[in-house]
Amino acid sequence: MSRNVQVVILCEDRQHEAFARRFLERTGKDIRVQRVEVSPKGRGAGEQFVRERFRKELAYYRARKHRVEQALIVLIDADGRDVAARMEQVESSCSSEGEGRRQADERVAIFVPARNIETWLAYLDGQTV
């Protein structure tokens, strides 16, 4: 990614946001976070918010990808599910709404922590995990 990439972060909570920002910092590039969409507290399950919002954010990304260099970072907990099953659930949310699954050439990353996000944060901070 070049330094002019605009990133949208879609996540369940502020710890997910912290992970995404640290991940971007570790790239060594000055990447601008354009917007962060976090599940509102007290308004349902965070994973449901991410699944439902993913289609909209992917459509937004696709509408602008030829004009602006950008990326979409998505974080959703596995919540006891198999990581592949959670990924399929997120991806199929687009198919069911007619948006189409993400393509290999799209700058869309989906992270699915299967355990504690704190462990992922510790790793990014240089701790042995």
Side-chain angles (χ1 to χ4, degrees):
M1 283 193 238
S2 75
R3 72 184 301 214
N4 295 323
V5 175
Q6 295 179 1
V7 176
V8 173
I9 300 171
L10 172 62
C11 55
E12 289 188 37
D13 56 37
R14 293 294 175 195
Q15 284 188 315
H16 283 176
E17 177 188 355
F19 170 80
R21 287 182 183 276
R22 287 185 196 162
F23 176 80
L24 292 170
E25 287 172 12
R26 293 286 300 242
T27 65
K29 296 180 171 52
D30 183 25
I31 297 173
R32 179 175 168 255
V33 175
Q34 177 186 15
R35 186 167 42 89
V36 178
E37 296 294 332
V38 180
S39 175
K41 288 190 176 206
R43 293 196 182 163
E47 60 85 19
Q48 181 180 0
F49 170 83
V50 171
R51 281 187 294 107
E52 291 173 355
R53 189 72 184 228
F54 178 66
R55 184 193 58 78
K56 180 179 178 182
E57 294 300 337
L58 187 59
Y60 176 81
Y61 166 87
R62 288 175 174 163
R64 299 184 49 187
K65 77 177 182 179
H66 299 294
R67 293 180 286 157
V68 178
E69 198 166 353
Q70 62 180 339
L72 173 61
I73 296 178
V74 179
L75 283 105
I76 185 168
D77 284 331
D79 289 333
R81 291 177 177 255
D82 178 73
V83 173
R86 179 61 85 191
M87 292 279 289
E88 176 58 29
Q89 189 180 30
V90 171
E91 295 271 4
S92 67
S93 70
C94 288
S95 299
S96 65
E97 297 294 324
E99 183 58 41
R101 293 175 178 264
R102 73 185 163 132
Q103 302 299 308
D105 65 335
E106 294 178 319
R107 290 182 175 176
V108 179
I110 301 175
F111 294 90
V112 184
R115 297 283 178 202
N116 299 326
I117 190 69
E118 294 83 4
T119 305
W120 292 42
L121 288 165
Y123 173 77
L124 288 177
D125 286 341
Q127 297 178 27
T128 303
V129 179

